[in-house]
Amino acid sequence: MRVVHTIAGMKEARHRLRGSVGFVPTMGYLHEGHLELARRSRDENRYTVVSIFVNPTQFGPKEDFAKYPRDTERDLAMLKKEQVNIVFMPSAEEMYPPRYSTWVDLEKVTERLEGTIRPGHFRGVATVVAKLFNIVEPTRAYFGQKDAQQLVVIKKMVADLNMNLEVIAVPTVREPDGLAMSSRNVYLNPQEREAALILSKSLSLARKLWSKGERNADIIRREMTSLIETEPLGTIDYVSVADAETLEELAKIDRPAVVSLAVKIGKTRLIDNIVMAR
Ligand code: AMP
């Protein structure tokens, strides 16, 4: 496994590869969810490149950029075990040199859900992912369903800008009790960790209602909201039942839908979602 820190070094390493290249962008502090993406890539491509970059431009001024968890040594050991070929770990200065000034801005799909609560977040995500795609030139790139809106945004960017790669969605990996794995779960104290189960429980409730034939999105939103409100440590940012492609809120669930939510548990903001297709 090679670890590359510079863009020039990464481009050079890429151009020596013959055959398909799978790419997994991450912010590090890896868990089974990230490793699942790397395994999919390894199974479907000749080579796998993983990037570790805590991208400053996707964090708001009051967000957790400075204290985002980092453990490079542990991350590299985990990736080596998964037989990853190249790890790209640029510095912030390498990615955003002085007077950096080009941004990728998507309309509409970024204007709801996470986009309303984290203004500028998807501009940072789309920009860094576009840069990483240009540097790594992957055949396929792997993203987790965990970040459902991010997946929609990246797919849209790739289609709109005619980028030459395939975007592959990987199902959310969960802890045995249902909590979606996330680097941010480390912020939770034991009491909050227990309270955090309210996210997956409310999604299970949505799934149950839908399976029984409920197609009124408002009823599903309301039932989920009532359940989450029984958790004293939880504060809801949003509960959404939206069109899986446009992310527009639905009144009636008559097409593939993504049920998503963001809830603060204490000071930690968690997101989760499920897809309900016909
Ligand atoms: P992050 O390091 O949080 O930026 O995540 C890097 C990639 O891993 C993104 O495509 C995420 O959607 C994906 N990911 C994060 N958590 C999970 C999970 N629990 N299951 C599947 N994919 C995940």
Side-chain angles (χ1 to χ4, degrees):
M1 187 175 82
R2 261 190 78 183
V3 181
V4 180
H5 294 277
T6 65
I7 293 168
M10 183 61 234
K11 285 187 169 185
E12 194 211 358
R14 167 64 181 99
H15 285 132
R16 276 197 256 121
L17 304 178
R18 294 280 166 269
S20 59
V21 174
F23 177 46
V24 181
T26 83
M27 300 203 299
Y29 210 72
L30 303 179
H31 51 66
E32 270 303 306
H34 298 111
L35 297 185
E36 195 56 35
L37 270 58
R39 289 179 198 127
R40 271 289 295 275
S41 170
R42 189 191 56 201
D43 291 348
E44 296 175 3
N45 301 278
R46 174 118 185 242
Y47 300 99
T48 290
V49 178
V50 175
S51 64
I52 299 176
F53 180 60
V54 185
N55 175 35
T57 67
Q58 71 187 67
F59 287 80
K62 289 188 185 138
E63 293 182 3
D64 58 347
F65 173 69
K67 67 171 189 130
Y68 193 84
R70 293 160 168 92
D71 191 340
T72 305
E73 256 176 59
R74 180 168 149 271
D75 288 350
L76 292 178
M78 288 165 89
L79 294 175
K80 199 168 174 187
K81 254 196 192 157
E82 299 299 334
Q83 295 150 32
V84 165
N85 303 95
I86 301 175
V87 182
F88 179 47
M89 279 185 47
S91 67
E93 296 70 35
E94 181 77 0
M95 292 295 275
Y96 300 106
R99 292 179 298 285
Y100 181 86
S101 59
T102 302
W103 302 94
V104 179
D105 243 320
L106 285 86
E107 298 174 341
K108 299 218 165 70
V109 289
T110 60
E111 288 159 15
R112 40 191 102 243
L113 306 171
E114 292 297 292
T116 56
I117 288 160
R118 307 182 68 187
H121 171 65
F122 287 115
R123 185 190 200 228
V125 169
T127 300
V128 80
V129 171
K131 284 170 68 69
L132 289 167
F133 284 174
N134 283 335
I135 295 163
V136 176
E137 295 182 48
T139 316
R140 301 183 185 85
Y142 294 80
F143 290 85
Q145 181 60 44
K146 160 78 175 20
D147 299 280
Q149 190 173 10
Q150 171 170 283
L151 191 54
V152 169
V153 167
I154 300 299
K155 280 187 175 163
K156 190 81 177 79
M157 173 182 80
V158 166
D160 284 355
L161 296 182
N162 315 103
M163 292 177 164
N164 232 341
L165 70 138
E166 196 183 343
V167 174
I168 306 216
V170 179
T172 303
V173 178
R174 297 177 179 280
E175 300 286 355
D177 62 4
L179 180 68
M181 289 193 182
S182 164
S183 306
R184 289 189 168 100
N185 290 349
V186 70
Y187 297 147
L188 303 168
N189 68 32
Q191 201 190 354
E192 291 167 340
R193 170 66 182 76
E194 191 63 29
L197 290 177
I198 203 66
L199 281 92
S200 54
K201 281 183 187 160
S202 73
L203 291 170
S204 299
L205 173 62
R207 169 87 69 205
K208 195 171 100 191
L209 292 167
W210 185 80
S211 301
K212 284 187 179 161
E214 184 57 76
R215 293 295 182 269
N216 182 326
D218 245 340
I219 292 182
I220 292 185
R221 284 185 209 101
R222 246 184 285 144
E223 292 284 330
M224 291 174 71
T225 302
S226 307
L227 178 63
I228 300 162
E229 284 172 353
T230 64
E231 174 46 65
L233 295 181
T235 316
I236 297 175
D237 265 357
Y238 60 80
V239 172
S240 157
V241 180
D243 179 300
E245 207 174 313
T246 64
L247 299 180
E248 280 167 24
E249 290 300 316
L250 292 174
K252 187 161 176 254
I253 309 175
D254 54 1
R255 63 197 100 162
V258 51
V259 179
S260 65
L261 74 171
V263 179
K264 279 201 212 76
I265 301 290
K267 284 186 181 146
T268 305
R269 187 170 181 279
L270 300 176
I271 58 171
D272 199 353
N273 70 89
I274 53 169
V275 177
M276 300 196 306
R278 259 186 287 188

